[in-house]
Amino acid sequence: MTVRVTKPAFNLRSKLTELNVPVGTHGSQLMKSNDAADSFSLVRAGRKNLIFNGAMQINQRNGGSSVTVDGTGTYNLDRWCVHEATGGSVSCNMDGDPPNYSNAGVGEFQKAMQIACASTDTSISSSENVQFFQNIEGYNCAHLEWGTIRAKPVTLSFWVKTNKEGIYSVGLENNGADRNCIREFHHDGTHKWQKFSMTYPGCTDGTWVKNNGLGIRVRFCLTSADQYGDGKDGKWVGSDELHAGRQTNFMDNTSNRFFITGVQLEEGSVATPFEHLSYGEDLALCQRYYWQVNDNTYRRIGGYKRNDSNVHFEIQSPVPMRIAPVPTLSDGGIFTNFQSTFSASQSSPTITEWNIATGQGLLVMNSTYSSTHVFIPSWEGYQLQLSAEL
């Protein structure tokens, strides 16, 4: 006799409940949708936050020091570039102010980025603006399928504290700056931490880079003239915009301060809890785009002086970098044989024979060392910066 066994139908909602995965909820839970399949789409392995250093804990370049921002864009905290192009000026630094347990949630962050108005411009005109942004590599956002009919929405969330009340703007745009979507947020200027979240529809047209180039730029506006004010809140436009016509002027008082932390950009229509990474993970992600050797922290051994002014040293980055990095020597250091110092100065570094897959290559410098075809035992006391920023 044949016995037929009928298996019960698989019920995704029941399985999620059995695994203690929240369904159909909001806030600290995963989804506000009542559809279990929608909820399950966020239960996946891997990182969800497309922003690197969103908790503002990595600052390889400056530690906690403040820097004055220039019109070409200045990196202070890793991955965050600040651009100032007004008649005034701003400074930027890493700040340890975030813990404020009267605001539920913000106490989870120990660092923030602070932007301060250092000198005013009360009449913003022409193309003047103040902005800060992060460029997301195309490899990291290709799964959003932007530029196709399958384009997926994303949600941006962050914490802000400022004493300058008003409407601020944050936009997403492509590498060609011809697809842009602005969202506005209002801070009451009470100098207390407030959390904001906003959803952007997926962009179904335009060209979106999906390799190691600039995939998406996330750009916050603090001040801008009307030239960049034709954005549409929550809608994609085919031009380069910073705001949607209601932007406040952060530059009207030298007491104005703007703090931000906990920045997260994720696939989907709901802001989920911030994805905290260990310091080491966060640092490694940032070092794909920038790393440096500080004065007197690392002795490089085994260089070679050719028959010209060039000296070659092998170099290995901590993680494979996006492209062959651009090197800068802020201190050329000295050559020694571990006892005596060679009379020489080093400058004009370049990178050759770079292997993107392994992060290895040759650092070539100009040196005044007069000997040729000789081994350089030790190079020390130097300060080297290597950038592969987008």
Side-chain angles (χ1 to χ4, degrees):
M1 181 175 66
T2 301
V3 178
R4 186 181 301 275
V5 178
T6 303
K7 294 183 179 180
F10 177 75
N11 187 302
L12 179 58
R13 181 178 292 274
S14 298
K15 189 63 177 177
L16 291 174
T17 302
E18 177 187 335
L19 295 173
N20 197 30
V21 174
V23 176
T25 54
H26 189 42
S28 63
Q29 307 300 319
L30 287 177
M31 290 288 286
K32 63 182 179 181
S33 170
N34 289 322
D35 187 305
D38 287 343
S39 298
F40 189 75
S41 71
L42 284 182
V43 186
R44 60 182 183 272
R47 296 186 177 93
K48 64 183 178 183
N49 192 0
L50 300 179
I51 295 291
F52 291 171
N53 199 26
M56 309 297 178
Q57 65 177 336
I58 309 298
N59 191 348
Q60 297 182 80
R61 293 170 175 86
N62 304 293
S65 300
S66 178
V67 298
T68 300
V69 174
D70 64 31
T72 62
T74 301
Y75 281 91
N76 185 267
L77 280 70
D78 275 63
R79 305 281 21 253
W80 292 103
C81 186
V82 185
H83 177 275
E84 188 279 325
T86 72
S89 62
V90 299
S91 62
C92 178
N93 69 289
M94 173 190 276
D95 189 84
D97 184 63
N100 180 346
Y101 294 96
S102 63
N103 291 119
V106 77
E108 67 184 287
F109 302 102
Q110 302 304 306
K111 300 293 183 181
M113 180 169 65
Q114 176 186 196
I115 299 174
C117 176
S119 61
T120 64
D121 186 346
T122 57
S123 180
I124 303 299
S125 60
S126 186
S127 60
E128 293 183 330
N129 65 85
V130 177
Q131 56 175 287
F132 63 93
F133 58 88
Q134 181 168 142
N135 293 327
I136 299 173
E137 189 173 347
Y139 284 138
N140 299 331
C141 53
H143 65 282
L144 298 175
E145 299 185 89
W146 284 12
T148 77
I149 61 172
R150 298 177 299 279
K152 302 166 187 174
V154 294
T155 296
L156 180 70
S157 55
F158 50 91
W159 288 87
V160 164
K161 182 176 76 169
T162 181
N163 60 345
K164 173 59 178 175
E165 187 272 341
I167 292 175
Y168 296 87
S169 305
V170 53
L172 306 183
E173 71 173 0
N174 66 350
N175 184 49
D178 58 6
R179 292 296 184 276
N180 184 287
C181 185
I182 300 293
R183 297 307 311 265
E184 298 177 329
F185 62 98
H186 175 266
H187 196 287
D188 61 16
T190 56
H191 210 49
K192 294 182 179 179
W193 286 103
Q194 297 177 23
K195 185 176 182 180
F196 299 92
S197 64
M198 51 204 63
T199 296
Y200 297 76
C203 185
T204 58
D205 61 4
T207 300
W208 295 87
V209 173
K210 296 178 173 62
N211 54 26
N212 68 345
L214 195 165
I216 298 174
R217 176 177 291 115
V218 181
R219 184 166 58 170
F220 290 80
C221 180
L222 300 185
T223 295
S224 176
D226 291 341
Q227 178 174 331
Y228 298 114
D230 293 327
K232 307 296 181 184
D233 187 41
K235 297 184 182 299
W236 288 98
V237 298
S239 55
D240 185 15
E241 308 297 342
L242 281 167
H243 62 101
R246 302 193 296 170
Q247 175 69 40
T248 193
N249 180 14
F250 176 76
M251 299 296 292
D252 65 358
N253 194 306
T254 54
S255 67
N256 291 344
R257 300 291 183 270
F258 186 96
F259 300 79
I260 186 168
T261 192
V263 186
Q264 179 159 284
L265 181 69
E266 58 190 306
E267 178 187 331
S269 302
V270 174
T272 66
F274 185 82
E275 180 181 52
H276 286 280
L277 303 180
S278 71
Y279 185 90
E281 289 178 291
D282 233 352
L283 176 61
L285 290 172
C286 293
Q287 286 177 330
R288 176 168 171 79
Y289 306 94
Y290 178 89
W291 67 283
Q292 67 182 36
V293 178
N294 293 323
D295 268 329
N296 300 309
T297 58
Y298 183 75
R299 181 196 303 266
R300 195 167 295 277
I301 298 174
Y304 185 76
K305 177 68 162 51
R306 300 197 321 180
N307 65 338
D308 52 23
S309 62
N310 289 333
V311 174
H312 292 67
F313 278 90
E314 290 187 356
I315 193 166
Q316 170 79 63
S317 59
V319 299
M321 301 187 77
R322 182 182 67 89
I323 58 172
V326 177
T328 302
L329 268 179
S330 51
D331 185 342
I334 59 175
F335 291 161
T336 80
N337 62 3
F338 296 94
Q339 181 176 357
S340 301
T341 299
F342 302 161
S343 178
S345 61
Q346 287 61 246
S347 62
S348 305
T350 59
I351 294 289
T352 65
E353 301 181 28
W354 188 261
N355 187 321
I356 291 179
T358 63
Q360 294 170 300
L362 288 177
L363 175 68
V364 183
M365 303 176 295
N366 182 277
S367 177
T368 60
Y369 186 43
S370 59
S371 298
T372 60
H373 296 295
V374 294
F375 177 76
I376 306 296
S378 173
W379 178 34
E380 54 193 272
Y382 65 94
Q383 182 155 324
L384 176 68
Q385 299 84 24
L386 295 109
S387 176
E389 295 284 3
L390 288 151

